[in-house]
Amino acid sequence: MTTSNVVSSARSASPLGTLTVIPWASEPSADAPGTPFLMAYSLGDGRDGPEAGQQAMRTALEAMGLSVGDRLFDLDKDAGITASLLVEGGSAVLNLPFLKVQCPVPDEWQEAARERGQVYLICSVRPWPEAVPGQPVDEARLRAFVSDEEMLKESAHVLMPVRRLQG
């Protein structure tokens, strides 16, 4: 079970509405750590409704140089995309032009992120109003949403390098 984290808590003046981030990791194998995932999505409660929110999310992703559904971006190789991810002290700090959030992550997620050196970010254009911030999301609901082919086609997919504080 995991918990979503609120980024923007109000039905803001923005058509994006409440933005939320949820972390999870795949199961590790005997010879490799699990894959750490982050998904950013809207609740669809923006000022102009869910359809306008979907278009606003698509526009925000395209404005930062990402496209929806047609490729996996790798920020170690794809230049010109403004995004960063800091993983430290049980938190993932995601920085996108339209989204800045510090998200608590479980120990196994943080360990997988450090071992792999990257996190798979999914930015869903499709709203997910059922995954309310601060409420637990059980594995079956998460799996159903993130394995839906239409949702995956309507998302930007990004491999983000993990940054750490220099000490």
Side-chain angles (χ1 to χ4, degrees), residues 14-17 42 44 46-59 125 127:
S14 166
L16 289 171
S42 171
R47 72 168 182 241
D48 301 321
E51 292 80 19
Q54 286 180 273
Q55 185 56 48
M57 179 67 91
R58 181 182 301 276
T59 300
V125 170

Side-chain angles (χ1 to χ4, degrees), residues 25-123:
S26 66
E27 291 294 322
S29 67
D31 54 341
T35 300
F37 292 89
L38 275 179
M39 183 171 59
Y41 60 95
S42 171
L43 294 183
D45 60 355
R47 72 168 182 241
D48 301 321
E51 292 80 19
Q54 286 180 273
Q55 185 56 48
M57 179 67 91
R58 181 182 301 276
T59 300
L61 293 168
E62 290 171 352
M64 66 181 281
L66 299 174
S67 58
V68 172
D70 63 347
R71 68 175 282 215
L72 174 62
F73 291 85
D74 184 341
L75 297 191
D76 276 335
K77 299 173 185 161
D78 292 310
I81 298 171
T82 305
S84 66
L85 178 66
L86 173 72
V87 177
E88 198 71 43
S91 291
V93 180
L94 179 63
N95 232 334
L96 306 176
F98 63 93
L99 169 72
K100 294 174 183 21
V101 62
Q102 181 173 338
C103 172
V105 293
D107 291 340
E108 62 273 7
W109 188 98
Q110 184 171 287
E111 184 178 318
R114 285 186 178 154
E115 285 185 44
R116 286 200 174 265
Q118 62 186 12
V119 169
Y120 194 119
L121 173 67
I122 300 171
C123 293

